[in-house]
Amino acid sequence: IDVTAAFVAAPCLDFSGSEVNKNTKYEVYLDAGIDNTPATYTVSSITVHPDYNATMNLNPIAVLQFNTGGS
């Protein structure tokens, strides 16, 4: 994981059947601490663990990719 990705619990995402609902807008909020301004970034892609099983709560993890606008 780098500065443009974050791990999240897959059950926190909005699913339509077995796929993440592409119509839901996701954002990542980063708290920069006392000296810096917090920022919100729009998620550009979501990768759910290929073996995620919501019924049995197996492999409940996903990676959110977002653009910070930096280099």
Side-chain angles (χ1 to χ4, degrees):
I1 297 297
D2 61 25
V3 297
T4 63
F7 283 118
V8 297
C12 294
L13 302 172
D14 181 28
F15 282 83
S16 178
S18 62
E19 299 292 320
V20 174
N21 186 344
K22 304 258 189 244
N23 295 321
T24 301
K25 180 181 177 185
Y26 294 98
E27 295 180 326
V28 174
Y29 175 83
L30 299 178
D31 183 353
I34 296 171
D35 296 333
N36 296 318
T37 304
T40 302
Y41 303 104
T42 300
V43 171
S44 57
S45 71
I46 300 171
T47 304
V48 178
H49 191 289
D51 295 324
Y52 172 53
N53 181 316
T55 304
M56 298 183 69
N57 199 33
L58 297 173
N59 306 304
I61 194 146
V63 177
L64 304 182
Q65 198 73 40
F66 55 96
N67 185 349
T68 61
S71 52

